[in-house]
């Protein structure tokens, strides 16, 4: 199915509006990027982890998809933030003793859940 979407998307790409020096990634339709992002997140063997835990601290895990997808470029950020399916799986792990809990972390979790929209949520705690 993914290959069929990829093939049909490449057939519909219009290169008229693309400058010759523009990177190829900007030539892809947003729908294709969304499918690639969904493939990345859904093919991972583990759930995306929103937090990175140390022994006594907890931080945002920006290296985990889908958060890492929002940090590549503006286009990827816009597409990732508008693709609810990549935000519908989440793993939340807290260490036994947390001495330092950043105030933005509950907000990050709330934003993640809001971005999943009305899709069913798969939560692993």
């Amino acid at each position: 199915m993914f290959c069929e979407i990829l093939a049909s998307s490449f057939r519909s790409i219009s290169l008229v509006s693309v400058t010759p020096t523009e990177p190829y990634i900007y030539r892809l339709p947003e729908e294709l990027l969304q499918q690639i992002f969904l493939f990345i997140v859904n093919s991972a063997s583990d759930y995306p982890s929103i937090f990175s835990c140390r022994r006594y601290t907890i931080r945002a895990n920006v290296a985990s998809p889908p958060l890492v997808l929002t940090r590549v470029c503006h286009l990827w950020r816009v597409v990732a933030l508008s693709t609810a399916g990549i935000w519908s799986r989440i793993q939340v792990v807290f260490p036994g003793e947390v001495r330092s809990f950043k105030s933005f972390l509950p907000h990050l979790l709330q934003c993640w859940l809001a971005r999943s929209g009305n899709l069913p949520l798969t939560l692993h705690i």
Side-chain angles (χ1 to χ4, degrees):
M1 178 177 161
F2 179 71
C3 292
E4 293 168 5
I5 294 170
L6 183 65
S8 67
S9 295
F10 275 118
R11 284 191 292 267
S12 66
I13 294 174
S14 171
L15 299 179
V16 175
S17 64
V18 178
T19 61
T21 59
E22 192 170 32
Y24 289 110
I25 193 69
Y26 293 123
R27 299 179 192 191
L28 297 176
E30 286 186 21
E31 296 81 10
L32 181 58
L33 275 177
Q34 288 177 324
Q35 291 300 315
I36 292 169
F37 292 171
L38 287 165
F39 179 77
I40 290 168
V41 171
N42 292 329
S43 66
S45 60
D46 203 1
Y47 293 88
S49 180
I50 190 170
F51 300 129
S52 174
C53 300
R54 304 278 192 276
R55 185 169 179 184
Y56 297 114
T57 61
I58 187 167
R59 296 186 174 106
N61 186 5
V62 295
S64 175
L67 289 177
V68 72
L69 300 173
T70 67
R71 299 171 56 91
V72 174
C73 65
H74 178 73
L75 173 65
W76 282 34
R77 180 174 178 78
V78 169
V79 172
L81 293 177
S82 67
T83 307
I86 67 173
W87 302 97
S88 64
R89 296 177 64 203
I90 187 172
Q91 177 178 353
V92 181
V93 178
F94 294 107
E97 295 181 39
V98 177
R99 295 182 183 167
S100 174
F101 192 77
K102 308 289 184 194
S103 60
F104 72 90
L105 293 176
H107 178 70
L108 177 61
L109 180 58
Q110 186 177 31
C111 288
W112 187 304
L113 296 175
R115 287 182 185 127
S116 68
N118 294 329
L119 293 178
L121 186 64
T122 304
L123 181 63
H124 187 251
I125 300 178

